[in-house]
Structure formats: C-alpha cells, structure tokens
Amino acid sequence: MVKKIPPIKETAPASVTCWTHVFEKKEEIANVRHDLLTWYDKNKRDLPWRQNAKCEDINQRAYAVWVSEIMLQQTQVATVVDYYNCWMKKWPTAESLAKATLEEVNEMWSGLGYYSRGRRLHEGAQKVVNEMNGNMPGCAARLLKHLPGVGRYTAGAIASIAYNEVTGLVDGNVARVFSRLRMIGGDSTSQAVTDAFWSLAGTLVDSERPGDFNQALMELGATVCTPKVPTCSKCPLRSYCRAYTQVEKHKQNASARLIKVTTTTDIEDNLPDIECAADGCSLCLPANEPWDSSQGVMNYPRKAKKKPPRIERTAVCIIENVNKKQFLIVQRPETGLLAGLWEFPSTLLDENFREEQRMAHVSTFLKTHFGLHFKSSKLKHIGEVLHIFSHIHQTYVIDYIQVNSAEVGKLQCDQSTRWVDKTQLLESAISTAMKKVFKTYEAGVHISTAKTNGSKPIPRKRKASGHDRTDKKKQLALETFFKPALK
C-alpha cells in the first residue's frame, strides 16, 4: 500500500533567493518522474539487494535494504557486492545477525573499511530483536529515531524501497544530479544547499513508485551523471538540466561569434534564460569562482575545500614465536579509529624522533605493555608502509623480533592479546592496513633470510642486441660501406 504525501507546494525553500534552482511547473515535475523511471526500467543494474527487496516479508525486505545501504556508504558498488552476498548468506535475517558476536561481525567486515558501520548494524539488529520483538521500525521517522547508524538518507532509502513510503532522499549521487539539474553551485556542505537538495527530493519523488524513483536518481548519478566525464548524451533528464542548457547556450554563442553573426536573437529565443536574477543568492556559483566553460556541467556541484589530512607515524612491532610460528596480536579499544579490530602491537611516534629515539621508544613500549625485555640488536627493522585513511595519512614503521616459547611464557598477556599463526591472522578481524604491514614483513624477512643464507639474486637474462659481442653476426665497420666492389 502506498503511503501518500501532501500535494506538492510550488514554493522555494526559505534559503533560496531565486527561482533558478527549483522546479516551477507541475507538468515538468511529472515529465521528470516519467522519463527517469522509463530509463531506469530499461537500464538498471542487476544488484543482489534489489532482488532481496522483492521479498514478501516486510521485515526481511527492510533488513536486506538496511544492510546494503550501510555497506554502500562511502564504498563503491563493485566492492560491496561480494561482501553483501557473503553477509546475507551467513546472516539472512536480523535475528541471525543479533546472535552473532562482534568478533564475527568484524571478521566479516574486514577490508570493507569504516568498521563502525558493521558494529552499528550488529547493535541495531540486537535492538530490533530484543526491544522491538523482531519487527523493523515501520517508517522513515522511526528508523531514524531507533536504529543506530541510520541517518536521514538511510532512513529514506529503507522506507521508500522496503515500505514504499513516499519520501525523498539525498546522497552524493543524488546531490550531484540535483546540482546540475537546477544549477546549484553553492558550497554543497552548507545548510542552504543541503536544504535545497532535500526540498528538491521531496518535490520530485514519485508517489506511485517512490523506491524505484529514488534508486533511479542514485543510478543516474552513479552511471551517467558522474563526477568526471558525465555522458550527457545518454541522460534521460538532459532536456530539464539547466547546467546542460548553460553549456549548450555557451557553445551556440561561441559559434555565432566565430562566424561573425551580429545578432543571436534566434539562439537566445531557443534556449531559456537561466541566469540567476537575485543578488547574493546562496545557491549560485560564488562570485570568486565563476563558471568555467572548459568544465561544462562539471562546474556543478562545488565542494568545500577539504581540511588537510593529519600526518602520523606509528611503530608496529611484529613479535613471532619461532617455535610455533605464531604472531602476537592485540585488540584495539572499542571506540575510535578501527574500534575492536586486531593488530600487531603498535605505538604512536613523535614526528621529530630520530632513529635511536624511535628504537628506544619501541623498546620501552614493549617492556611496559608486554613485559618483553630484549637486547636492542634483536629488534630488526623491516621497512615502512603508507596507508591513507579518510582523514589521516598514516605511515607504519615496521620492526620485527623473534622470541621462543620460554620467553612467551613470561610475557604479560590478557584477553586483549592473542597468538595466531598466519592463516588465523589473515582470517581475524584485522584492517587492510595491517594486512599491508604483514605483506611488507613477509617480503622483508624473505630478503633478510636470503642474505643470511648467502643466496644471490637470480640475474636477469639479457636480451640479445645488435651490439652484443655474443651475436653471431658482427657489426660492420663504417668504412666497409664505402669500399669499391671487387671486379
């Protein structure tokens, strides 16, 4: 059953100071809905969560959409598909997920990034089972209120797709489509622009097929109206796009000047005037960043300048029990970056540390936290690995030390530490960064072992050339080409 919404009010949001950035005519709104849904029906990708959203059980539909939307946050579709399929195979319902341990969830999520998402999904499933009798919140407002990690966009996606609730949504793809359709060039992170996007979402959403319409908007942004190299020629909304009209108008005016046409009255009559008539409009391109003809529709949206990432260096110590071929890993705190994941013993380094200071710091860290006493010569430096998080450029400085079983027995270990072999390590809930660290360690140890054993690198075979002395054909001296032929 379709949940109805009040009739569309053709009023601009309070923050808008001109009509350039809204849809004024009901007929145009109806045409946008029709053309976009027609395109979507023919071109939509076959994605597993879209199949699961057809399930007859309303709670199962909502759960399937919920999982997909959380996974798709900040992550590309191609990456999510395999994770989603594995997740739904292991935990096909909220009830099955609620019974899982956080450790199992982290292991399943390993490599997908933004690990707090998995933890909140787990918390949400337990809340649905323990506090809501297994029933998912039944509308966008309740989803937003009761489920951890569910924001305005995710609530709208679940409600419209799973419940057919007539509610709009805005994600990065939708925002880009809207900004080009209505020439919204203000800072996309500002409140005025955010309000304008949500106003457009509420205005345009189709009352009969809200879920499909919202997915169509996202599909359009992901496959056609892309950040770079958009394919406007394939866009079903091209005739309603004011950014595209602006580009075409510029092209025609440029052509007219090129052939020395003295008037462009006909051109201007064919293309509507889309200039903003209001001074200081918060949604137009800023005066200090005017429209750039070389960028075309990619003038929109305009993003705020990102803060420079924080630069950090972290010492990572790989401790190996040589008797059992096991490695010591420790669990990170339950809050903060990479919460609850496992890693090799690590400690943040001062950016001004010299080499001897770094070694002393690592030695003190291992003694204090694990009771590991050793000669400095036992600590071998492996190398460095750079890993870029969304807000941190992290350099891992990798050291390696071997201990025997007798020394292991003297170490200070508790529930937050674990000894694992290579297979167990790679199956544990460790981050992509730690996997890169371990790969660097393996390569470094292999090289070190080869040197210790006196092995020599295998020389590359040299390709024969015209100048190689071993060639059967000898290169002729220049003089031979000028000697007279024998009679």
Side-chain angles (χ1 to χ4, degrees):
M1 182 177 178
V2 176
K3 298 183 180 180
K4 298 296 183 181
I5 58 173
I8 297 169
K9 294 182 180 180
E10 294 185 72
T11 57
S15 58
V16 178
T17 54
C18 71
W19 288 99
T20 304
H21 313 293
V22 296
F23 284 89
E24 298 181 69
K25 300 177 181 179
K26 289 183 178 180
E27 182 181 358
E28 187 178 28
I29 293 171
N31 289 338
V32 166
R33 292 169 177 168
H34 174 270
D35 292 355
L36 182 60
L37 285 169
T38 300
W39 171 84
Y40 178 70
D41 290 338
K42 294 179 180 178
N43 296 280
K44 63 184 175 184
R45 291 170 291 178
D46 183 17
L47 300 173
W49 43 88
R50 289 177 177 164
Q51 297 301 320
N52 289 338
K54 298 177 182 178
C55 177
E56 293 184 3
D57 185 278
I58 192 169
N59 286 305
Q60 184 57 29
R61 286 204 307 270
Y63 170 73
V65 176
W66 179 26
V67 172
S68 69
E69 290 300 334
I70 296 298
M71 286 188 171
L72 287 165
Q73 292 172 5
Q74 306 293 324
T75 309
Q76 294 181 348
V77 167
T79 302
V80 168
V81 169
D82 288 341
Y83 279 91
Y84 180 82
N85 287 332
C86 291
W87 182 287
M88 294 302 292
K89 184 177 181 180
K90 187 166 187 176
W91 300 306
T93 63
E95 289 78 7
S96 59
L97 176 58
K99 294 176 183 178
T101 65
L102 182 58
E103 177 72 11
E104 290 175 313
V105 170
N106 283 336
E107 288 176 3
M108 178 68 75
W109 204 273
S110 179
L112 197 55
Y114 299 94
Y115 293 87
S116 62
R117 295 179 298 169
R119 185 175 70 252
R120 287 172 180 166
L121 257 177
H122 185 234
E123 291 172 1
Q126 291 180 327
K127 188 172 184 179
V128 167
V129 171
N130 298 330
E131 300 178 21
M132 304 178 190
N133 199 30
N135 295 314
M136 290 282 291
C139 66
R142 294 189 65 232
L143 287 161
L144 183 61
K145 181 179 180 180
H146 295 293
L147 293 185
V150 170
R152 189 177 180 184
Y153 157 75
T154 306
I158 298 171
S160 63
I161 298 170
Y163 304 149
N164 211 35
E165 180 179 344
V166 183
T167 182
L169 54 75
V170 177
D171 73 344
N173 287 317
V174 174
R176 184 167 55 258
V177 171
F178 285 166
S179 68
R180 292 171 181 172
L181 280 175
R182 297 293 93 170
M183 285 175 55
I184 298 176
D187 177 2
S188 59
T189 62
S190 70
Q191 190 61 52
V193 172
T194 299
D195 290 344
F197 286 155
W198 280 97
S199 178
L200 286 169
T203 297
L204 292 176
V205 63
D206 187 82
S207 60
E208 298 299 323
R209 299 174 60 188
D212 284 343
F213 183 83
N214 286 335
Q215 290 183 90
L217 273 176
M218 293 186 283
E219 189 85 347
L220 185 68
T223 62
V224 175
C225 193
T226 53
K228 298 179 180 179
V229 197
T231 51
C232 296
S233 61
K234 297 181 179 180
C235 181
L237 304 184
R238 184 174 69 249
S239 60
Y240 315 106
C241 180
R242 288 182 170 169
Y244 178 78
T245 301
Q246 186 180 30
V247 172
E248 292 302 300
K249 186 175 183 179
H250 173 80
K251 288 180 180 178
Q252 291 186 14
N253 287 339
S255 296
R257 286 192 299 271
L258 186 63
I259 60 176
K260 297 182 180 181
V261 173
T262 57
T263 176
T264 58
T265 303
D266 292 339
I267 295 173
E268 291 178 351
D269 288 342
N270 291 335
L271 293 170
D273 184 6
I274 53 175
E275 296 298 325
C276 180
D279 292 331
C281 175
S282 59
L283 302 185
C284 286
L285 291 172
N288 60 342
E289 296 180 23
W291 187 74
D292 180 355
S293 61
S294 67
Q295 292 296 307
V297 299
M298 291 185 292
N299 277 280
Y300 308 94
R302 289 291 173 92
K303 295 183 179 180
K305 293 181 180 179
K306 291 184 178 180
K307 294 181 179 179
R310 191 166 75 246
I311 307 298
E312 289 186 356
R313 289 175 65 82
T314 295
V316 180
C317 190
I318 298 179
I319 305 173
E320 181 187 15
N321 181 343
V322 291
N323 300 117
K324 295 186 176 181
K325 300 297 181 183
Q326 291 181 327
F327 304 93
L328 179 66
I329 56 176
V330 298
Q331 192 170 30
R332 291 181 62 85
E334 291 301 320
T335 58
L337 182 68
L338 305 176
L341 298 189
W342 293 83
E343 66 181 7
F344 298 112
S346 304
T347 177
L348 193 64
L349 295 171
D350 187 292
E351 60 180 7
N352 297 317
F353 273 169
R354 295 190 297 273
E355 180 63 14
E356 61 272 17
Q357 291 174 310
R358 182 188 68 79
M359 296 292 281
H361 178 78
V362 171
S363 178
T364 301
F365 166 74
L366 294 176
K367 290 175 184 177
T368 303
H369 288 78
F370 305 101
L372 180 59
H373 297 265
F374 57 91
K375 294 181 179 179
S376 59
S377 58
K378 288 189 68 176
L379 193 65
K380 307 295 183 183
H381 181 61
I382 296 294
E384 296 185 357
V385 167
L386 173 64
H387 187 78
I388 299 176
F389 296 97
S390 59
H391 59 296
I392 302 173
H393 282 197
Q394 181 71 263
T395 298
Y396 293 102
V397 185
I398 310 165
D399 294 309
Y400 164 62
I401 188 170
Q402 291 183 325
V403 295
N404 55 42
S405 295
E407 291 172 304
V408 169
K410 298 177 183 179
L411 296 183
Q412 300 168 3
C413 296
D414 54 27
Q415 292 182 345
S416 65
T417 59
R418 180 184 296 177
W419 288 94
V420 294
D421 59 27
K422 178 180 176 179
T423 301
Q424 293 169 326
L425 171 70
L426 297 179
E427 291 177 350
S428 298
I430 63 172
S431 66
T432 301
M434 282 298 113
K435 290 178 181 178
K436 289 166 66 176
V437 165
F438 187 71
K439 186 176 181 179
T440 301
Y441 151 78
E442 288 190 305
V445 169
H446 174 75
I447 293 172
S448 178
T449 303
K451 289 181 179 179
T452 303
N453 295 336
S455 302
K456 294 183 179 179
I458 300 174
R460 293 182 181 180
K461 291 184 178 180
R462 186 179 177 185
K463 293 183 179 179
S465 68
H467 301 287
D468 198 319
R469 293 181 181 179
T470 59
D471 285 352
K472 291 182 179 179
K473 288 186 177 180
K474 293 184 178 181
Q475 183 174 354
L476 299 175
L478 185 63
E479 293 82 0
T480 60
F481 292 99
F482 300 99
K483 289 182 179 179
L486 294 175
K487 295 181 180 179

